[in-house]
Amino acid sequence: MNSSKLLLTLGTMLLAGLCSAAIVTKNLRCEYLRDPRGIDAANPRLSWITTSSRRGEMQTAYQVLVASSKKLIDGDKGDLWDSGKVASDESCQIAYAGKPLISREDCFWKIRTWDRDGNPGAWSQMAQWQMGLLQPTDWDAQWIIANPPTSTAAESLIIRHATYGAAESGGVVDVTAALADRVKDNHLNIVVNNTALGKDPASNVVKRLQVDYEMGGKVFKKEVNENQKLVLPEESESVWCLRKSFRANSSVQRAVLYATALGLYEVHINGKRVGDHVLAPDWTDYRKRVRYQAYDVTSLMKRGPNAITALLANGWFSGHIGNGGNQYFGKAPVFLAQLELTYADGRTERIATDASWKSHRSPILSSDFMLGEDYDARMEVKGWDKPGLNESTWLPVAVRDESFRRLEAQVTEPVRQICELKPKAVSEPKPGTWIYDLGQNMVGVVRLKVSAPAGTQVTLRHAEMLNPNGTLYTQNLRGAPSVDHYTCKGDGVEIWQPHFTFHGFRYVEISGLPSRPKDDAVTGIVIASDTTRTGEFACSDARVNQLQSNIQWGQRGNYVSVPTDCPQRDERLGWMGDAEVFIRTATYNADVAGFFTKWLVDVDDGQSAAGSFSDVNPNTMGGNGVPAWGDAGVICPWTIYEVYGDKRILEQHLPAMKKWVDYLLLHSDGLIRVKDRGDDYGDWLSIGANTPKDLIGTAFFAYSTHLLANSYRALGQEAEAEHYSQLFDDIKTAFNKRYVANDGRIEGNTQCGYAMALKFDLLPDDLRIKAAQYLEEDIKAKGGHLSTGFVGVSYLLPVLTQMGKADTAYELLLQDTFPSWLFSVKQGATTIWERWDGWTPEKGFQDPGMNSFNHYSLGSCGEYLFGGIGGIRPASPGFKTIRIDPVVCEGLNWASTRFDSIQGRIATSWKQEGKHFALEVTVPANTTATVYIPAQDTASITESGKPAAQAEGVKFLRQETGKAVFEVGSGTYKFTSENQAIGLSRF
Ligand code: BGC
């Protein structure tokens, strides 16, 4: 390069450097999702994050372009919407404000932002979304079902005689009436056990049911062992294939499949699986709405013959769901699909489900969440999902009128396969029975890899724990036997995994094989709603790190389509109390905004006309009005608003939230919740403490009212905010009068009572100090142990810290004798247990009637790991301003925390060595943070080696007792101080 060219180049670079901004715009999302298809919202909301290599970066303006083609957006043209330059630092939930969008519309978009000096950054990468089918008239498809189940459904089922008794000898009782009682619409589907049959004729032995029944005029006999299923008519459990062959006469330029089911489906086109959803569609209250999915299937289409085939299973619609529900929403599953083709010449064609489809029994003989899946590989039909199949043995389908159902687009990440686990050990507790230990209590299925003669039936049983003799502990599964069967076809190595069931387990037992299976015969396939992981936490105590791992696994395993209580026994319901106590922790571990956007609609769907929220949602149990459970209908939307700055979720749910609070008002006496508390669960599973239930009810009444007032305020509805603030004050007065003594003692004198009163701001200032003192005294009196159940547990550590008692919070967290969080960790737990004493060395297993080893509720202390020890908390909704205030006490000497907020990554990493404290903190662009550094005075504090007050982008605000407070903009900062570890954080 000659010298003039060099000068020119340098000059250009310099100029570019001066003009170009340091700001980079990325992570574009529409309605919380990346490049989603099937958006129903008329004005979808767009979010992005900004990053920058320099400190104190702010977005001063943005421009959004939305175009109808890739070509236009590549040329920086927004024919659908060009926002122009908008002076704003907002980067989340920007509502689309362009031309009205129509069904199926493709929207390509990008963003540029201006930095703090007013320089524009480069355009972001392109992102896209596609509108869904907005009108019912967009659907040509008809709901279809395989023929046999409908024909048998009309035949009457009569139980002639049934006995139940010890399989080996004696103790037989007549259960004809009990069994006949379980017949519903000529169907019977039960797990044979004492609960289902109403008696236990011989305790401690395996029993058997013998039944004579009549169906369609014919008489049959059947025998079923205890804990096995009995399904009549037998084929109603089987999974059918639905298929349509068609020709594409010219080349397909674009193909989109819209599909859903009342039940579960899996679609294949030309031999390839469509999408990666598992257990689609998500569980909703089908009486109110069904979610459909949209897939781009262009790459699967062929010119000439094509075939689309679907497997259709019962799932939540017509299989077993929790607490005894079977065929709760309907008798048999139905499928709906519309494949929309656009040919290269512009012609369009639709292949929609209708009477012309064909059906065939699949090798999946039965599939059910609670019971498991049976597969006979000998029944596989070669080429079943490919074009060119001889369909002569395929049967017609029936069309069912379900047109009254409301179809809505998927608004959340689907359930997917998340990861795989290899076994850690294999044992053979009984000859011919092998148990594989996956080393982790997980949720999903097993992928089986075996080689055995045709007809060999392999049985897979699942359990979370082992009995002392090394066999599976399955009693706690109750009516969910969780048994899968695979019958080999006998042609070498066979690989199979269930399609439409899931289990909660760590141990898998294989039996039925003629010889010892190989070590790789079993792989654990973990499934979960695929919420993006946003948080990591580690500290100097390995036990606490295991606790955090247990919390995350608990979340993963219980966020399966809806937030469930547990994944293994015959329950797995969207329990409101569990969801409400854990949601704050959940928001740190993963981006759950979409997940709750979906579920909160189910919650409103379950609300009674009078305003009470039900105990579980989708609502399948009916119970309602329960304190702390019903309040999830207010607490959850509020939490999503606080964490993601989502005002639309508040707007959407405000009417239901108001109805709930008004219901509580009407169903209280003098503002005290002495009545109508449904199945009131109190401080569920507390240990050695009894918090009065009406007190809990009144405290939550106050809290929900307070959050409702805050919600109105956030939406600028001042008059309503004022009204409910006044109601909150009145409830507070009533609460104090009724439950609080002059010396600050709260009725019941329990940790839960004090923790709620402090967290919900129910006490006058002077009594707050007293309440904190009583709370601490009770913990000390119990030898540094907690006594709370689900309701109080999440508040303990935050309120202790807030009241200047962080040392006691640490003591509780690090306690490992019973009852405590680390007790189960010490026993080798890999998930959070339902009960503090699920298993103890002295007593062994708790009552198997209720003893899950994967319940996340007691893991709601996770919020404190991120927000307390990690010190990362929102100072305003959506983390637009951040509080960095790590709680540093004896017991831990370092902690490292990261949280990918909706604004971008926030991270802290601190170390305490003697009196020397070091904190590295990362703050995302376009936000500011207030940083609290433990220090007795400001003078000793440095940032990147300089006195902090002089460091670039660091502003000293004030010295508080034991803490120096600074304000910083974005960037990474390294603070040090010479302090005492005195734990004076506020929470
Ligand atoms: C569930 C809980 C739930 C509770 C109500 C249990 O059976 O597993 O987690 O919240 O019932 O008390």
Side-chain angles (χ1 to χ4, degrees):
M1 191 182 284
N2 66 32
S3 56
S4 59
K5 262 196 179 162
L6 181 69
L7 271 179
L8 193 69
T9 317
L10 282 176
T12 322
M13 279 167 63
L14 199 63
L15 211 61
L18 283 178
C19 299
S20 79
I23 201 160
V24 175
T25 314
K26 53 189 192 186
N27 196 16
L28 275 60
R29 293 181 306 150
C30 170
E31 289 293 326
Y32 293 116
L33 303 169
R34 269 173 219 273
D35 298 336
R37 282 177 195 286
I39 289 287
D40 276 354
N43 300 99
R45 294 160 307 161
L46 309 176
S47 301
W48 59 89
I49 64 166
T50 48
T51 61
S52 169
S53 53
R54 63 179 182 173
R55 285 185 174 180
E57 192 59 86
M58 288 300 284
Q59 167 193 304
T60 53
Y62 68 79
Q63 182 177 11
V64 186
L65 293 184
V66 184
S68 57
S69 76
K70 192 167 170 313
K71 204 165 155 211
L72 282 170
I73 206 79
D74 283 346
D76 301 342
K77 296 262 174 336
D79 61 330
L80 294 174
W81 186 35
D82 179 348
S83 70
K85 181 177 172 186
V86 181
S88 165
D89 64 353
E90 293 296 325
S91 60
C92 304
Q93 332 285 5
I94 306 297
Y96 169 86
K99 289 190 186 146
L101 298 172
I102 55 168
S103 292
R104 307 176 179 87
E105 185 137 24
D106 273 316
C107 304
F108 301 86
W109 66 292
K110 61 185 181 185
I111 289 283
R112 69 173 161 168
T113 54
W114 279 255
D115 69 9
R116 66 169 193 224
D117 303 322
N119 294 319
W123 285 107
S124 69
Q125 301 263 350
M126 182 199 82
Q128 53 184 306
W129 81 86
Q130 192 183 75
M131 296 302 285
L133 301 183
L134 306 180
Q135 309 298 334
T137 48
D138 288 323
W139 289 91
D140 291 337
Q142 293 174 299
W143 292 92
I144 59 168
I145 179 172
N147 228 357
T150 44
S151 60
T152 50
E155 296 176 345
S156 53
L157 168 64
I158 300 161
I159 303 296
R160 291 159 58 108
H161 186 234
T163 59
Y164 180 52
E168 307 303 330
S169 60
V172 172
V173 291
D174 189 314
V175 289
T176 313
L179 200 62
D181 249 18
R182 302 296 300 261
V183 174
K184 217 170 117 190
D185 299 326
N186 294 313
H187 279 76
L188 180 70
N189 194 336
I190 60 161
V191 173
V192 172
N193 58 25
N194 304 336
T195 323
L197 296 170
K199 12 188 113 96
D200 181 3
S203 51
N204 293 327
V205 289
V206 178
K207 279 140 285 212
R208 181 181 297 155
L209 172 79
Q210 298 188 307
V211 55
D212 288 4
Y213 68 95
E214 198 181 306
M215 185 97 217
K218 290 192 198 118
V219 177
F220 303 88
K221 268 186 192 309
K222 198 162 168 74
E223 282 194 7
V224 186
N225 277 350
E226 186 177 5
N227 286 331
Q228 297 297 311
K229 59 197 172 177
L230 169 63
V231 182
L232 302 175
E234 290 184 62
E235 71 269 30
S236 71
E237 278 240 297
S238 60
V239 172
W240 281 72
C241 300
L242 306 169
R243 178 180 161 102
K244 170 87 183 170
S245 297
F246 62 96
R247 282 191 72 80
N249 288 330
S250 60
S251 77
V252 176
Q253 194 182 48
R254 173 195 166 96
V256 180
L257 173 71
Y258 302 92
T260 191
L262 297 168
L264 305 173
Y265 73 88
E266 196 182 293
V267 176
H268 291 228
I269 292 181
N270 297 333
K272 297 240 165 60
R273 168 96 198 263
V274 171
D276 55 3
H277 297 209
V278 177
L279 309 180
D282 279 310
W283 185 9
T284 51
D285 188 335
Y286 306 103
R287 295 164 296 206
K288 304 276 169 74
R289 69 197 76 231
V290 191
R291 301 277 183 185
Y292 69 87
Q293 292 67 52
Y295 310 90
D296 183 340
V297 292
T298 313
S299 64
L300 303 182
M301 304 309 302
K302 291 189 177 139
R303 194 183 178 137
N306 284 267
I308 175 168
T309 316
L311 292 167
L312 180 62
N314 286 312
W316 293 285
F317 182 76
S318 44
H320 278 96
I321 50 173
N323 288 355
N326 181 41
Q327 300 184 325
Y328 187 83
F329 294 100
K331 274 184 256 164
V334 252
F335 178 61
L336 183 81
Q338 187 159 301
L339 174 62
E340 301 193 350
L341 307 175
T342 309
Y343 292 105
D345 58 12
R347 273 184 315 114
T348 59
E349 189 179 353
R350 284 185 193 171
I351 309 295
T353 42
D354 60 18
S356 71
W357 284 52
K358 302 235 158 80
S359 67
H360 198 281
R361 206 181 250 274
S362 84
I364 307 173
L365 304 181
S366 69
S367 191
D368 183 278
F369 288 138
M370 306 297 158
L371 308 176
E373 193 161 303
D374 291 1
Y375 188 93
D376 188 340
R378 296 168 305 179
M379 287 179 61
E380 287 172 359
V381 174
K382 212 163 181 255
W384 67 284
D385 58 353
K386 293 196 176 125
L389 181 74
N390 174 355
E391 293 174 354
S392 59
T393 57
W394 288 60
L395 302 170
V397 295
V399 169
R400 207 163 81 185
D401 184 15
E402 303 283 350
S403 53
F404 60 94
R405 309 256 181 199
R406 190 151 146 194
L407 288 165
E408 283 180 10
Q410 169 104 8
V411 290
T412 180
E413 298 84 353
V415 178
R416 290 197 175 99
Q417 293 189 8
I418 302 296
C419 62
E420 299 191 356
L421 299 179
K422 288 204 165 65
K424 297 263 186 287
V426 189
S427 62
E428 191 182 1
K430 284 191 279 180
T433 296
W434 291 273
I435 293 184
Y436 287 69
D437 176 4
L438 293 165
Q440 171 64 52
N441 199 11
M442 57 157 277
V443 173
V445 292
V446 155
R447 187 171 63 228
L448 179 70
K449 187 175 164 199
V450 286
S451 172
T456 308
Q457 196 190 59
V458 186
T459 300
L460 294 169
R461 298 201 309 133
H462 305 77
E464 295 180 290
M465 300 286 264
L466 294 181
N467 289 311
N469 65 2
T471 56
L472 295 187
Y473 168 75
T474 55
Q475 285 94 316
N476 69 332
L477 303 181
R478 305 196 312 209
S482 308
V483 182
D484 299 332
H485 294 291
Y486 177 77
T487 305
C488 298
K489 58 187 167 200
D491 65 355
V493 175
E494 299 178 37
I495 295 176
W496 170 76
Q497 76 182 61
H499 294 244
F500 298 114
T501 190
F502 68 91
H503 314 295
F505 62 102
R506 169 175 169 168
Y507 301 96
V508 192
E509 182 199 89
I510 303 193
S511 59
L513 282 165
S515 58
R516 185 189 175 92
K518 296 202 171 133
D519 286 354
D520 66 351
V522 154
T523 306
I525 308 293
V526 177
I527 64 153
S529 283
D530 193 9
T531 55
T532 309
R533 175 99 155 239
T534 51
E536 296 293 343
F537 173 85
C539 68
S540 52
D541 190 323
R543 300 168 308 165
V544 178
N545 298 340
Q546 183 64 47
L547 174 68
Q548 164 61 11
S549 167
N550 296 1
I551 295 169
Q552 273 182 338
W553 274 99
Q555 177 166 339
R556 190 174 294 145
N558 279 296
Y559 278 12
V560 177
S561 203
V562 302
T564 63
D565 55 335
C566 58
Q568 73 299 83
R569 69 172 177 234
D570 56 346
E571 195 143 4
R572 312 180 193 188
L573 297 168
W575 276 99
M576 296 272 278
D578 308 44
E580 164 268 301
V581 305
F582 190 74
I583 184 171
R584 203 45 183 253
T585 297
T587 60
Y588 279 113
N589 286 321
D591 176 358
V592 296
F595 182 75
F596 276 93
T597 300
K598 180 254 168 206
W599 185 65
L600 283 169
V601 174
D602 305 333
V603 170
D604 287 4
D605 281 349
Q607 190 174 30
S608 75
S612 62
F613 285 116
S614 53
D615 297 1
V616 302
N617 284 298
N619 182 4
T620 56
M621 271 188 37
N624 58 44
V626 177
W629 270 251
D631 296 285
V634 173
I635 294 169
C636 294
W638 172 257
T639 307
I640 297 297
Y641 164 67
E642 273 210 305
V643 176
Y644 303 99
D646 188 337
K647 285 195 178 168
R648 196 178 278 177
I649 212 158
L650 282 187
E651 270 160 20
Q652 189 184 351
H653 297 286
L654 209 56
M657 293 157 76
K658 174 182 163 18
K659 248 172 118 178
W660 167 248
V661 170
D662 292 348
Y663 171 89
L664 296 180
L665 178 60
L666 203 66
H667 294 260
S668 58
D669 204 346
L671 302 179
I672 298 295
R673 290 273 285 128
V674 280
K675 55 178 187 179
D676 302 335
R677 299 192 309 267
D679 287 339
D680 208 358
Y681 308 114
D683 185 17
W684 186 244
L685 299 178
S686 62
I687 196 117
N690 196 0
T691 311
K693 291 183 174 177
D694 52 328
L695 182 150
I696 296 176
T698 308
F700 270 87
F701 175 24
Y703 188 43
S704 276
T705 305
H706 186 56
L707 297 185
L708 178 65
N710 287 351
S711 304
Y712 277 119
R713 196 154 287 128
L715 297 176
Q717 301 183 34
E718 269 310 313
E720 289 85 350
E722 223 6 78
H723 172 78
Y724 286 100
S725 293
Q726 185 56 52
L727 178 59
F728 169 66
D729 286 344
D730 295 345
I731 305 169
K732 197 167 153 176
T733 307
F735 180 90
N736 278 275
K737 217 165 124 200
R738 170 74 182 77
Y739 300 112
V740 187
N742 290 340
D743 62 357
R745 287 266 173 216
I746 298 180
E747 197 178 306
N749 197 37
T750 64
Q751 294 177 18
C752 175
Y754 292 117
M756 283 187 309
L758 289 165
K759 164 77 186 176
F760 302 165
D761 191 17
L762 299 180
L763 302 171
D765 284 350
D766 54 330
L767 294 188
R768 283 179 71 79
I769 296 164
K770 286 274 183 198
Q773 186 188 322
Y774 299 140
L775 169 61
E776 187 174 48
E777 276 170 18
D778 191 74
I779 293 167
K780 301 278 181 205
K782 291 185 162 68
H785 290 100
L786 45 71
S787 68
T788 48
F790 284 22
V791 168
V793 70
S794 68
Y795 310 134
L796 279 178
L797 304 179
V799 300
L800 282 166
T801 302
Q802 185 186 27
M803 299 307 292
K805 298 180 184 306
D807 289 332
T808 306
Y810 259 54
E811 187 186 346
L812 269 190
L813 177 67
L814 301 179
Q815 174 65 265
D816 67 2
T817 57
F818 171 79
S820 67
W821 286 288
L822 296 186
F823 174 72
S824 63
V825 169
K826 211 165 74 176
Q827 312 310 320
T830 59
T831 34
I832 299 292
W833 295 354
E834 176 174 27
R835 316 174 80 120
W836 296 115
D837 56 354
W839 185 89
T840 61
E842 300 77 28
K843 296 188 188 149
F845 291 113
Q846 246 283 9
D847 172 9
M850 220 188 72
N851 198 20
S852 143
F853 290 93
N854 195 357
H855 245 70
Y856 52 58
S857 296
L858 296 179
S860 55
C861 59
E863 172 192 0
Y864 188 75
L865 303 183
F866 285 88
I869 296 171
I872 299 175
R873 305 201 279 282
S876 60
F879 285 85
K880 184 73 178 140
T881 55
I882 303 159
R883 181 176 177 126
I884 301 288
D885 188 4
V887 183
V888 181
C889 290
E890 292 259 337
L892 296 181
N893 39 42
W894 63 264
S896 175
T897 311
R898 78 143 172 96
F899 170 57
D900 290 328
S901 74
I902 192 159
Q903 301 285 347
R905 177 158 297 182
I906 309 170
T908 61
S909 179
W910 60 258
K911 206 176 196 170
Q912 175 79 42
E913 279 168 323
K915 288 187 169 184
H916 179 75
F917 174 78
L919 169 71
E920 181 172 318
V921 52
T922 299
V923 175
N926 205 24
T927 66
T928 53
T930 311
V931 183
Y932 292 71
I933 306 289
Q936 295 300 4
D937 62 66
T938 324
S940 76
I941 302 179
T942 67
E943 192 286 308
S944 295
K946 287 191 198 140
Q950 291 165 24
E952 185 208 337
V954 179
K955 189 170 151 204
F956 173 68
L957 293 181
R958 61 187 176 273
Q959 176 72 40
E960 291 183 357
T961 324
K963 299 232 169 177
V965 188
F966 299 91
E967 189 184 81
V968 299
S970 70
T972 295
Y973 303 83
K974 293 178 178 173
F975 290 96
T976 63
S977 83
E978 307 305 319
N979 78 308
Q980 304 275 352
I982 44 172
L984 278 169
S985 297
R986 314 259 180 282
F987 202 86

